[in-house]
Amino acid sequence: MTPERPLGADALPMSADGPWPVALPVDPSGTRTAETGQLYAALDLGTNSCRMLIAQPKGSQFTVVDSFSKTVQLGVGLEASGRLSRASMGRTVQALRICQKKIEKHGVDRMRLVATEACRRARNARDFIRQVRRETGLQLEIIAPEEEARLAVISCAPLVSPRTEQLLVVDIGGGSTELVWIDLSAVGPEDRPRAIMRLHAGFTGHGDDPAARVVDWISVPLGVATLKDQFADVEDDAARFALMSWFFEENLANFSPYNAENPREGFQIIGTSGTVTTVAASFLGLRRYDRAKVDGLRMSSDQIDTVIRDYLALGPEGRRTDPRIGRDRHALIMSGAAILQAMMRIWPTDRLSVADRGLREGLLYAQMSADGVLEDGPYE
């Protein structure tokens, strides 16, 4: 398996950093009563989880009306067999039936329902897509790595600082990790979040406005589930963690900004994934997850390292029972932490912006932007 990426150039020099933005709310907890107006659905079927949002445009953002998240482990056994197992497909179809009922309950007719790395790689993915359509009525769409990366990027636009000139967005998934390096130096500070949103139409330039320039992007076929499977035979917990982090870094050797000399000023990393939000929740000591406290949080490298050292000290059994991690994530947190630590070790910053948003939010923004229902859109 090789990372998927286009050819790119080295990153450009950067200038001064400054205040960081306050995260805009897009995913309040609980189910809301929808006001009159168009509803949109976005479903992300990944290697480990099935997640859906139903939302309504509101100003330049949206309000979540209903949501669903379930660990389905669709990719279990895929690394060895190259196929989705009968049991994993059965679990996933059950979760998708719940999603279908929610879509029907709310009368949603504008939706995108996408599948990512597990379905991209599985030899029997097309058969699975037909099974889902037959048993639930839902039409899943397998998207390419570039679109997955692009949607993760635009979901993070509200977290981009006006002072950021070089941006790295890292989306750690179950089966793959997408990294996108963006040069914002030609864009005015106040227009930088909007310039990110305009990438919904593609990573190439479009329109007459100053553009965010994608210097390089890469999709590494290693996520929390696939990286864990690669080193499942290593018994020592600390050794397994070190090997996973080293192996992930090895897969970034051809990512062009990896070898560039870049000053710290004006550089921002945004991390979006369950790993990143779990590490943030652990740092905050949250026994019950609170998105409002996590989304937009800035963590230093030292703070991240402290949490990871705590995870290693707990060991597998301690992590399994730690309420900050949760039973759905304990088996995958160290492979995710290995990726996260590699990120912070490589690039010229000691700060990470935590994003509790990703592919689903990107799908919603893209649909709403295309329909022109956001106040300061569409972003063309």
Side-chain angles (χ1 to χ4, degrees), residues 198-271:
R198 285 193 288 268
L199 292 173
H200 79 87
F203 279 161
T204 56
H206 39 273
D208 297 326
D209 294 324
R213 183 175 71 89
V214 176
V215 177
D216 201 3
W217 71 274
I218 187 170
S219 179
V220 182
L222 293 169
V224 295
T226 47
L227 184 59
K228 173 179 175 288
D229 288 348
Q230 289 269 357
F231 293 91
D233 59 339
V234 180
E235 293 185 5
D236 183 80
D237 194 44
R240 183 170 57 249
F241 173 78
L243 287 168
M244 288 189 295
S245 189
W246 166 82
F247 185 64
F248 185 83
E249 183 177 343
E250 285 287 297
N251 277 266
L252 297 177
N254 293 324
F255 186 46
S256 66
Y258 175 91
N259 297 312
E261 290 294 328
N262 297 289
R264 291 173 180 265
E265 294 79 13
F267 183 97
Q268 182 180 6
I269 294 182
I270 298 178

Side-chain angles (χ1 to χ4, degrees), residues 17-35:
D17 194 5
W20 296 72
V22 176
L24 296 174
V26 297
D27 188 11
S29 59
T31 301
R32 293 177 172 231
T33 301
E35 301 171 4

Side-chain angles (χ1 to χ4, degrees), residues 15-340:
S15 64
D17 194 5
W20 296 72
V22 176
L24 296 174
V26 297
D27 188 11
S29 59
T31 301
R32 293 177 172 231
T33 301
E35 301 171 4
T36 302
Q38 179 76 59
L39 293 179
Y40 292 76
L43 185 144
D44 168 18
L45 177 59
T47 302
N48 193 54
S49 301
C50 175
R51 307 174 72 201
M52 184 181 71
L53 290 177
I54 296 174
Q56 185 171 47
K58 188 172 184 180
S60 60
Q61 301 292 313
F62 54 78
T63 300
V64 173
V65 172
D66 205 348
S67 63
F68 175 79
S69 181
K70 179 72 173 177
T71 299
V72 294
Q73 296 182 311
L74 179 61
V76 167
L78 177 61
E79 192 74 22
S81 70
R83 298 176 60 84
L84 304 175
S85 72
R86 185 185 300 270
S88 65
M89 290 191 293
R91 287 192 301 271
T92 303
V93 168
Q94 289 178 0
L96 290 169
R97 285 197 183 103
I98 299 173
C99 294
Q100 188 276 330
K101 290 177 182 176
K102 286 178 175 286
I103 289 170
E104 186 177 296
K105 170 187 171 184
H106 292 288
V108 180
D109 56 14
R110 293 286 287 123
M111 67 190 79
R112 280 197 76 189
L113 317 174
V114 305
T116 57
E117 186 68 10
C119 288
R120 285 196 291 261
R121 292 176 52 195
R123 293 197 299 270
N124 59 338
R126 298 294 174 184
D127 293 336
F128 171 63
I129 297 294
R130 286 192 287 270
Q131 178 187 349
V132 169
R133 181 61 184 265
R134 185 172 63 250
E135 297 189 25
T136 71
L138 299 179
Q139 182 62 59
L140 290 176
E141 170 190 359
I142 302 174
I143 61 172
E146 179 180 340
E147 183 169 14
E148 183 177 2
R150 178 160 41 87
L151 291 165
V153 166
I154 67 172
S155 76
C156 295
L159 300 180
V160 176
S161 167
R163 300 295 181 88
T164 295
E165 295 208 344
Q166 302 293 325
L167 174 68
L168 178 67
V169 176
V170 181
D171 181 16
I172 306 172
S176 65
T177 298
E178 281 67 45
L179 297 90
V180 184
W181 186 290
I182 301 168
D183 175 21
L184 291 163
S185 60
V187 182
E190 298 307 316
D191 195 43
R192 283 169 184 167
R194 284 177 54 84
I196 297 295
M197 289 292 291
R198 285 193 288 268
L199 292 173
H200 79 87
F203 279 161
T204 56
H206 39 273
D208 297 326
D209 294 324
R213 183 175 71 89
V214 176
V215 177
D216 201 3
W217 71 274
I218 187 170
S219 179
V220 182
L222 293 169
V224 295
T226 47
L227 184 59
K228 173 179 175 288
D229 288 348
Q230 289 269 357
F231 293 91
D233 59 339
V234 180
E235 293 185 5
D236 183 80
D237 194 44
R240 183 170 57 249
F241 173 78
L243 287 168
M244 288 189 295
S245 189
W246 166 82
F247 185 64
F248 185 83
E249 183 177 343
E250 285 287 297
N251 277 266
L252 297 177
N254 293 324
F255 186 46
S256 66
Y258 175 91
N259 297 312
E261 290 294 328
N262 297 289
R264 291 173 180 265
E265 294 79 13
F267 183 97
Q268 182 180 6
I269 294 182
I270 298 178
T272 171
S273 70
T275 293
V276 175
T277 56
T278 299
V279 168
S282 295
F283 166 68
L284 294 172
L286 301 180
R287 298 178 70 85
R288 183 178 179 84
Y289 187 77
D290 185 343
R291 182 185 188 277
K293 294 179 179 178
V294 170
D295 189 45
L297 177 72
R298 290 184 66 210
M299 294 186 68
S300 70
S301 297
D302 287 345
Q303 291 166 340
I304 292 169
D305 286 344
T306 296
V307 172
I308 292 174
R309 285 197 299 270
D310 184 34
Y311 288 164
L312 284 169
L314 286 170
E317 181 60 25
R319 294 192 294 269
R320 188 183 70 81
T321 57
D322 191 320
R324 303 169 304 164
I325 299 173
R327 289 183 178 269
D328 282 349
R329 185 154 297 276
H330 74 91
L332 301 172
I333 190 60
M334 294 315 298
S335 51
I339 294 172
L340 180 58

